[in-house]
Amino acid sequence: MANDDELRDLLSSASLVFVGGLLAAVSTLVEQIVIARVLTPDAYGEVSISIAVMTLGITMALVGFNQGIPRFISRFESPVDRRGAWATGLLIPGSLSLVLAVVLVLTIESVTGLLFERFNSELLLLLFVLSIPFEVGQRVGVGAIRGHENTIYKTYTADLLYPGLRIGLLAVLLAAGYGVVAAGIAYLGASIVTFVAAHVLLNRLLPLVGQVELHAREMVVFSAPLVISTVLGLLLTKTDTLMLGYFRPSAEVGIYTAAYTVANGMNFVLIAFGFLYLPIVSRLDAGDRRDEVDEIYTTLTKWVFIVTFPAFLVFAFFPEDVLSLFFGQGYAAGGLALTILAFGFLTNSLAGRNKETLSAFGSTKSVLAGNAVAFGLNIVLNLALIPTYGQLGAAVASAASIIALNATVLVILHVGFGISPFSASVVRTCVVLPVTLVPVMVAATGWFSLGLVTFPLLLVVLGVLVVAISGVAGGFQPEDEVLIEFVEERFGITVPFVRRFIPPEGSQSAG
């Protein structure tokens, strides 16, 4: 079936992106651990604030083109049009990134006085500000690679070169005694090299020199609603850091950032399936094959939840152990914040690639509406909770906002397009797993604590239990056969027991 072919393409891309993304995620985590352990919590907090400012600048400069570029390139056949989509992306966001960087450089003293405690932090923030144009250029290049549905070059650049070079520079500079500015130098150097590498590889897919047909008007019309929605979406993840920096000591920002970094790891599986999701779904929608979109969306969402749920259980019920294991005992104070954030991030797995599904349908205004609702709630809760409760208030605000965002977008998808990830088998899976395993985890917290050996062992045990419980509860569908076959072919193994729980095609139990 055609939808099986599309699902295989997504699985193939996800397996490669999973490996590359795993290395990138590990590198990023190691980077955060190195900074947190070598520097003091307040210095780590100031690095986190600088990263938040840089990330906000990148998102504002991209003005939604990070989704617009792959969407348009996937729909164009002519190299002239594809080259034009890339050039339009480089021209508009690139120019905006330069303007924004200049503005921030000119106001650097005011910004540091507002967000930082120490008066010698201008150089740190300046280095991150100078990285903005190169980061934007890098993401334009990777977006064009994504539009060609090429996962290999994306893995080379975004998942391997960029984080690997960043952590390598960071380690060398910290060892050389550069202190907190080592992080800024590492980000700037890695962004420059990766920007060049991404475009060298893109040139192999699409010769960058040649006739160009710019598509400024249609790309701006598509991306314009995303300008606000993407900024609002980013602010959902960074407002807590910035407001903590304003209201509370930098050390508390550092502790909260450690908790947020760990909880954000729950998004890894969702991201792994997302690289080709937007262009493939966009192509299916253009071919009036929306029923296949619904089937792919449902199947992927269920498996993202299944794979993510063990990490949720560990982060939610052993938070102090996890933070102490990765960042050191000084960060265990963020344990309750990690538990709260884990519940919020779990809803991302339940909702799947909901915003990108709307974007593929061209309904960017709906994405804006969802982000606006969540951002409004986020600001109100942060203002109400952070001054009194600090990092716990920030965690509650972030978790509530993530839940509100996912609920809003799912309602829009269901009412406006008849798309929902909640088939009968998905509902069974998402209900049975918490009912059976949460009581076990509550009891387990009194039996043992996590260490270097028990942490990965617990994840593996929970992973096996999650798959087994899902199968017994009737959580599998005929479409899951495609995934099982793919795993067996790719890794040369036989997956035991699972097939007996997969109903045959056309069975009512497939739901």
Side-chain angles (χ1 to χ4, degrees), residues 397-420:
S398 292
S401 301
I402 293 170
I403 294 170
L405 172 60
N406 284 317
T408 302
V409 175
L410 286 175
V411 168
I412 294 172
L413 271 174
H414 179 66
V415 174
F417 301 94
I419 299 289
S420 171

Side-chain angles (χ1 to χ4, degrees), residues 181-498:
V181 299
I185 298 173
Y187 269 81
L188 177 59
S191 63
I192 294 172
V193 173
T194 309
F195 164 68
V196 174
H199 283 85
V200 169
L201 293 176
L202 174 61
N203 190 63
R204 297 184 177 183
L205 302 173
L206 176 72
L208 301 182
V209 178
Q211 185 179 354
V212 171
E213 180 68 35
L214 294 177
H215 295 276
R217 183 180 180 279
E218 53 263 54
M219 291 184 73
V220 168
V221 169
F222 171 82
S223 301
L226 294 174
V227 177
I228 301 176
S229 65
T230 52
V231 171
L232 293 180
L234 174 68
L235 286 173
L236 288 176
T237 66
K238 299 301 181 184
T239 297
D240 45 9
T241 301
L242 296 175
M243 293 184 72
L244 271 174
Y246 180 78
F247 285 113
R248 310 287 284 202
S250 295
E252 190 166 353
V253 179
I255 293 172
Y256 176 77
T257 300
Y260 194 95
T261 299
V262 173
N264 191 50
M266 292 172 58
N267 281 335
F268 170 66
V269 179
L270 184 67
I271 293 171
F273 282 110
F275 183 72
L276 283 188
Y277 184 83
L278 177 62
I280 285 179
V281 171
S282 179
R283 174 157 45 82
L284 289 174
D285 181 55
D288 197 24
R289 297 157 62 188
R290 194 165 286 178
D291 56 331
E292 296 179 32
V293 173
D294 193 19
E295 189 171 305
I296 290 173
Y297 178 36
T298 301
T299 302
L300 291 183
T301 299
K302 179 182 63 183
W303 280 100
V304 167
F305 181 81
I306 287 174
V307 177
T308 303
F309 196 68
F312 160 76
L313 292 173
V314 174
F315 296 165
F317 292 96
F318 291 90
E320 291 87 359
D321 292 349
V322 171
L323 289 172
S324 297
L325 182 63
F326 287 124
F327 290 91
Q329 187 62 38
Y331 292 86
L336 183 54
L338 175 54
T339 297
I340 295 169
L341 289 167
F343 278 93
F345 277 105
L346 182 64
T347 65
N348 284 338
S349 301
L350 280 168
R353 307 297 302 193
N354 52 359
K355 290 194 293 182
E356 287 205 326
T357 304
L358 280 178
S359 294
F361 293 164
S363 184
T364 52
K365 292 182 180 179
S366 297
V367 178
L368 170 58
N371 281 331
V373 169
F375 177 67
L377 179 63
N378 185 258
I379 288 292
V380 171
L381 290 178
N382 273 318
L383 285 173
L385 299 176
I386 285 179
T388 303
Y389 300 102
Q391 57 164 325
L392 293 181
V396 170
S398 292
S401 301
I402 293 170
I403 294 170
L405 172 60
N406 284 317
T408 302
V409 175
L410 286 175
V411 168
I412 294 172
L413 271 174
H414 179 66
V415 174
F417 301 94
I419 299 289
S420 171
F422 301 124
S423 66
S425 65
V426 173
V427 171
R428 282 193 293 270
T429 301
C430 295
V431 170
V432 170
L433 289 179
V435 168
T436 55
L437 291 177
V438 166
V440 173
M441 295 300 294
V442 171
T445 55
W447 298 346
F448 60 90
S449 59
L450 295 184
L452 288 174
V453 175
T454 52
F455 173 70
L457 181 61
L458 181 59
L459 281 176
V460 171
V461 171
L462 287 173
V464 173
L465 287 175
V466 163
V467 173
I469 293 170
S470 299
V472 172
F476 296 148
Q477 304 167 278
E479 293 78 16
D480 296 318
E481 183 78 23
V482 176
L483 185 142
I484 301 302
E485 291 176 354
F486 175 83
V487 170
E488 291 180 337
E489 292 172 3
R490 176 57 60 95
F491 298 102
I493 61 175
T494 299
V495 178
F497 307 120
V498 177

Side-chain angles (χ1 to χ4, degrees), residues 100-150:
L100 185 59
V102 169
V103 171
L104 287 172
V105 168
L106 294 177
T107 59
I108 199 82
E109 186 175 348
S110 299
V111 176
T112 52
L114 191 65
L115 298 176
F116 293 82
E117 291 181 342
R118 298 185 296 180
F119 294 101
N120 60 347
S121 301
E122 287 88 352
L123 178 58
L124 173 65
L125 183 59
L126 177 64
L127 290 167
F128 279 99
V129 167
L130 294 177
S131 302
I132 291 175
F134 298 102
E135 291 276 356
V136 168
Q138 173 205 151
R139 297 182 193 206
V140 168
V142 172
I145 291 171
R146 183 184 183 188
H148 286 84
E149 302 183 17
N150 183 292

